[in-house]
Amino acid sequence: MLDFIFYAFKTELSPHYVEMSEEVYEWLVKSEFSKIGKSVPRNILIDEEEEKLPVVELDRDIRQKLRNFFRDAIICESDTVLTKLGDSPLKEEYQAATYRLRKLLDLLKCVENEDYQYLQRVL
């Protein structure tokens, strides 16, 4: 599993890890997502220790671009999922078909949560 990590200014708010399969991770890396914002080394406080990490600062402009990207991706993925599943999917089919959609929603929620100020993505 690979992940993207969201960090907050507030030290009491733990980093949020969005773990995903290699397939979804590679899809994101090859998409417009990888072109939004630039990773810059910053000192981030993790478990009361400062670490220098390459992160994208989620300023207003970057946050809006990421929101738009994830919303568009969710709309496209929803159409794909609904077409693929049909009327009566088995539980396993449903879980497999909605995996990418669930990851996109998790990423969107983190981007929309203004407590998170930084995104770490190793591209």
Side-chain angles (χ1 to χ4, degrees), residues 36-82:
I36 300 171
K38 182 178 172 153
S39 293
V40 176
R42 292 191 81 115
N43 291 330
I44 305 288
L45 195 63
I46 302 172
D47 296 327
E48 299 181 23
E49 290 187 32
E50 237 179 60
E51 290 188 42
K52 193 166 205 128
L53 301 171
V55 293
V56 175
E57 184 172 357
L58 297 174
D59 63 23
R60 182 179 298 176
D61 184 48
I62 299 299
R63 197 179 293 274
Q64 187 59 47
K65 287 177 182 177
L66 288 170
R67 270 190 199 114
N68 291 341
F69 171 82
F70 288 126
R71 286 178 181 159
D72 290 348
I74 287 166
I75 290 168
C76 291
E77 189 65 19
S78 296
D79 183 47
T80 301
V81 167
L82 291 173

